[in-house]
């Protein structure tokens, strides 16, 4: 399929010599593949569930009707074979969105203008957002760490723009919990779910974090106090460490109370994520539901900004080393409190902080319960488009689909085998192949422009 896909969009020397008509066996394969995949491709062109019809739909249907059923090479006389080749070539050219310049003999002005049109990524958008996220996960899995991080960020913006970010969040949480063997491994796997949740939380909650965390960080920056409690960092001064421990507890109380007081201002999307976690974890690991909620809110949402406020421009420039240490200590205590874990012998200098964890345990549980309770009037999973999105960002996904096509298909085969027959509609492999066929292989636009200029 990958080779056939390349043949759809790459004109070979043989094609040039034959006036644009490619090998009859390839033509038969193209015709047979398109006929087989049409059940998946047509709904995409029709804009099923979106109401937006692809401009190629009418022409695709016309050409497919004109082609009829696939016939093996040599099954018809020579004239009929030539006509069939021309018809399939016409369909190939229609689906192609990027390729070499055509000759005047091969195409009319309309066909030439289509060659210069930008790639229509809407079928890919439909594919990514309407197929249970299996295809999104497969693409992310094979992309590698660097490109995977960029694709994850793109997914967040795309789903938010398309209005199904909450639905994606719920499905990812449900699948992650289902695949976790123990509560201690929840959202600690090397899968897309924890990374998507972290990215989405930071993306959707930026304004909220700025409003509650910035004033607290400003207080740290403007205070001369050190919260260091490790005697080894204080030249062995045990008394100073004890004094700073009291300051650290007081600071943590202030931070916790300030955050808890603003829970009703927390974005509804974050609270829905907490609700989903409480629900799915509560079913599989009943005693860990609230801890999972706290893990999302503090570990993945609040604490990363506390230790690195520059990420959201909460400070001008950067914090100094001592201020950073103060923020790290506050973050460490809040994380342990949210996980209901007291400090142990590995960090003996933190043992006095356990008094704070014990005193605030019930308050943390109340906060976690409040986060997981979404007001009925706001429990709306259809958030709708909120920010802009440039579909050209999908070039990276297009590139990965081209370079890792076989790996993606293999992963999708595994995903399909894990689901009951007919449970995935449309079948994700067929849907993926149909869209890849429509897109054609990815071509580096910069390299493509350089090649055209050289020619």
């Amino acid at each position: 399929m990958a080779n056939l896909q390349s043949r759809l969009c790459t004109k070979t020397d043989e094609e040039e010599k034959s006036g644009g008509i490619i090998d009859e066996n390839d033509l038969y394969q193209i015709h047979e593949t398109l006929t087989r995949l049409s059940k998946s491709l047509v709904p995409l062109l029709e804009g099923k569930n979106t109401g937006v019809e692809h401009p190629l739909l009418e022409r695709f249907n016309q050409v497919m009707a004109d082609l009829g059923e696939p016939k093996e090479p040599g099954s018809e006389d020579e004239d009929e074979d030539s006509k069939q080749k021309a018809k399939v070539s016409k369909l190939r050219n229609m689906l192609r969105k990027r390729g070499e310049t055509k000759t005047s003999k091969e195409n009319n002005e309309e066909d030439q203008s289509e060659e210069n049109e930008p790639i229509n990524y809407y079928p890919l958008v439909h594919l990514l957002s309407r197929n249970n996220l299996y295809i999104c996960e497969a693409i992310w899995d094979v992309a590698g760490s660097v490109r995977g991080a960029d694709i994850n960020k793109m997914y967040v913006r795309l789903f938010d723009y398309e209005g199904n970010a909450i639905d994606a969040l719920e499905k990812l949480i449900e699948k992650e919990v289902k695949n976790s063997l123990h509560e201690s491994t929840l959202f600690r796997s090397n899968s897309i779910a924890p990374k998507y949740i972290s990215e989405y939380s930071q993306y959707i909650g930026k304004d909220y974090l700025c409003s509650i965390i910035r004033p607290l960080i400003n207080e740290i920056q403007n205070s001369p106090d050190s919260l260091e409690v490790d005697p080894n960092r204080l030249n062995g001064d045990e008394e100073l460490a004890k004094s700073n421990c009291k300051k650290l507890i007081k600071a943590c109380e202030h931070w916790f109370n300030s955050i808890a007081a603003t829970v009703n201002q927390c974005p509804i999307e974050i609270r829905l994520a907490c609700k989903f976690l409480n629900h799915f974890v509560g079913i599989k690991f009943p005693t860990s539901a609230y801890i999972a909620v706290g893990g999302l809110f503090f570990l993945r949402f609040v604490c990363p900004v506390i230790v690195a406020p520059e990420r959201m421009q909460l400070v001008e420039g950067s914090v100094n080393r001592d201020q950073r240490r103060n923020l790290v200590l506050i973050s460490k205590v809040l994380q342990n409190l949210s996980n209901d874990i007291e400090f142990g012998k590995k960090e003996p200098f933190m043992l006095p902080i356990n008094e704070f964890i014990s005193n605030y345990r019930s308050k943390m549980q109340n906060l976690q319960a409040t986060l997981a309770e979404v007001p009925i009037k706001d429990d709306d999973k259809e958030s709708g488009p909120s920010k802009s999105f440039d579909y050209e960002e999908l070039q990276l996904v297009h590139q990965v689909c081209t370079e890792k096509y076989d790996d993606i298909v293999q992963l999708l085969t595994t995903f399909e085998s894990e689901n009951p027959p007919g449970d995935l509609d449309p079948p994700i492999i067929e849907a993926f192949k149909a869209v890849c066929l429509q897109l054609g292989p990815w071509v580096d636009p910069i390299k493509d422009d350089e090649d055209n200029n050289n020619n």
Side-chain angles (χ1 to χ4, degrees):
M1 177 68 190
N3 292 334
L4 180 58
Q5 181 194 359
S6 298
R7 295 283 284 145
L8 276 170
C9 298
T10 305
K11 185 179 292 184
T12 64
D13 292 339
E14 287 78 5
E15 285 187 76
E16 293 288 356
K17 295 176 182 178
S18 63
I21 303 299
I22 62 178
D23 180 81
E24 60 182 13
N25 290 315
D26 279 350
L27 287 172
Y28 170 73
Q29 291 180 46
I30 294 169
H31 187 183
E32 190 275 333
T33 300
L34 288 171
T35 300
R36 178 166 47 83
L37 298 182
S38 61
K39 291 182 179 180
S40 299
L41 185 57
V42 169
L44 293 171
L45 295 175
E46 289 176 342
K48 185 178 180 181
N49 299 327
T50 66
V52 180
E53 184 178 291
H54 194 290
L56 285 178
L57 175 62
E58 183 177 356
R59 293 189 62 194
F60 177 81
N61 286 334
Q62 288 176 349
V63 175
M64 288 300 292
D66 189 31
L67 282 171
E69 292 298 319
K71 297 180 180 179
E72 294 188 18
S75 62
E76 299 179 306
D77 59 43
E78 187 174 343
D79 289 341
E80 289 299 321
D81 268 349
S82 297
K83 292 178 182 179
Q84 193 75 352
K85 291 178 186 179
K87 289 176 183 178
V88 180
S89 291
K90 180 179 179 182
L91 179 60
R92 190 278 302 268
N93 292 333
M94 181 190 74
L95 291 175
R96 237 167 54 186
K97 284 294 184 181
R98 191 184 298 273
E100 282 72 5
T101 303
K102 299 180 179 181
T103 65
S104 57
K105 179 180 179 181
E106 185 181 357
N107 289 299
N108 57 28
E109 293 181 359
E110 179 183 356
D111 292 326
Q112 289 176 350
S113 65
E114 286 179 358
E115 282 291 327
N116 297 322
E117 289 179 3
I119 297 175
N120 186 340
Y121 279 124
Y122 193 76
L124 180 58
V125 171
H126 181 95
L127 179 75
L128 295 174
S129 60
R130 308 290 175 182
N131 282 275
N132 302 308
L133 300 179
Y134 287 104
I135 293 175
C136 295
E137 184 176 356
I139 294 171
W140 180 86
D141 279 345
V142 303
S145 58
V146 176
R147 292 195 301 187
D150 291 336
I151 287 175
N152 184 44
K153 293 177 181 178
M154 187 274 297
Y155 283 163
V156 167
R157 294 192 301 274
L158 173 63
F159 295 155
D160 183 52
Y161 180 73
E162 290 293 312
N164 57 2
I166 299 299
D167 187 54
L169 191 68
E170 182 177 15
K171 289 176 180 176
L172 285 171
I173 290 174
E174 180 181 16
K175 184 178 180 183
E176 184 71 11
V177 174
K178 179 182 177 181
N179 292 339
S180 296
L181 300 178
H182 191 271
E183 54 261 48
S184 63
T185 64
L186 280 169
F187 299 96
R188 297 183 184 278
S189 65
N190 186 29
S191 69
I192 190 174
K195 294 172 177 60
Y196 179 90
I197 292 170
S198 294
E199 185 66 33
Y200 180 71
S201 300
Q202 301 287 329
Y203 172 80
I204 209 71
K206 180 178 180 179
D207 292 342
Y208 170 72
L209 288 175
C210 288
S211 67
I212 64 170
I213 301 299
R214 178 179 279 144
L216 295 171
I217 291 178
N218 288 341
E219 292 175 4
I220 294 293
Q221 288 185 296
N222 295 328
S223 173
D225 291 341
S226 169
L227 305 180
E228 183 56 69
V229 294
D230 183 357
N232 293 327
R233 293 172 178 260
L234 298 170
N235 297 320
D237 194 331
E238 298 281 352
E239 291 302 315
L240 181 57
K242 291 180 180 179
S243 175
N244 287 349
C245 186
K246 295 178 180 179
K247 294 179 183 178
L248 177 58
I249 291 176
K250 186 176 180 180
C252 289
E253 290 175 342
H254 175 54
W255 277 66
F256 177 86
N257 292 332
S258 298
I259 294 171
T262 66
V263 66
N264 289 327
Q265 302 172 31
C266 181
I268 193 66
E269 295 88 348
I270 304 298
R271 296 185 67 179
L272 280 169
C274 292
K275 178 181 178 179
F276 300 148
L277 267 173
N278 185 57
H279 172 70
F280 292 118
V281 176
I283 293 174
K284 190 167 185 178
F285 309 112
T287 60
S288 300
Y290 281 171
I291 293 177
V293 170
L296 184 153
F297 187 76
F298 283 97
L299 177 62
R300 302 198 176 278
F301 183 45
V302 175
C303 290
V305 179
I306 295 177
V307 299
E310 300 89 346
R311 288 183 58 180
M312 288 192 177
Q313 295 80 46
L314 300 187
V315 294
E316 294 184 6
S318 61
V319 296
N320 63 39
R321 185 179 64 179
D322 293 337
Q323 293 165 353
R324 179 91 63 195
R325 176 62 178 169
N326 288 346
L327 293 173
V328 168
L329 288 169
I330 292 172
S331 173
K332 180 190 287 286
V333 174
L334 291 178
Q335 282 189 40
N336 273 41
L337 176 61
S338 71
N339 290 328
D340 195 19
I341 296 176
E342 295 187 353
F343 292 98
K345 296 180 180 179
K346 288 184 178 180
E347 295 176 301
F349 55 88
M350 296 294 289
L351 289 174
I353 306 298
N354 289 339
E355 179 184 354
F356 163 77
I357 293 177
S358 178
N359 291 339
Y360 270 73
R361 181 173 288 114
S362 62
K363 293 182 179 181
M364 173 60 79
Q365 291 172 349
N366 290 336
L367 172 60
Q368 293 164 338
T370 303
L371 284 169
E373 294 175 358
V374 181
I376 295 177
K377 65 178 181 179
D378 292 328
D379 190 359
D380 182 4
K381 289 170 58 177
E382 296 298 329
S383 57
S386 59
K387 298 180 177 67
S388 62
F389 181 80
D390 184 359
Y391 280 6
E392 288 301 304
E393 292 185 51
L394 288 160
Q395 287 191 43
L396 178 57
V397 174
H398 188 183
Q399 180 183 2
V400 173
C401 287
T402 297
E403 296 175 357
K404 302 289 186 177
Y405 180 89
D406 292 335
D407 294 334
I408 294 172
V409 170
Q410 185 175 356
L411 275 175
L412 295 180
T413 302
T414 301
F415 292 154
E416 281 201 343
S417 68
E418 296 171 348
N419 287 271
D423 193 48
L424 300 180
D425 184 27
I428 53 177
I429 297 177
E430 296 299 295
F432 174 73
K433 289 181 177 180
V435 170
C436 287
L437 190 64
Q438 185 271 333
L439 288 176
W442 179 81
V443 177
D444 187 338
I446 297 178
K447 184 177 183 300
D448 197 32
D449 288 343
E450 291 176 350
D451 291 342
N452 289 335
N453 291 332
N454 291 334
N455 292 333

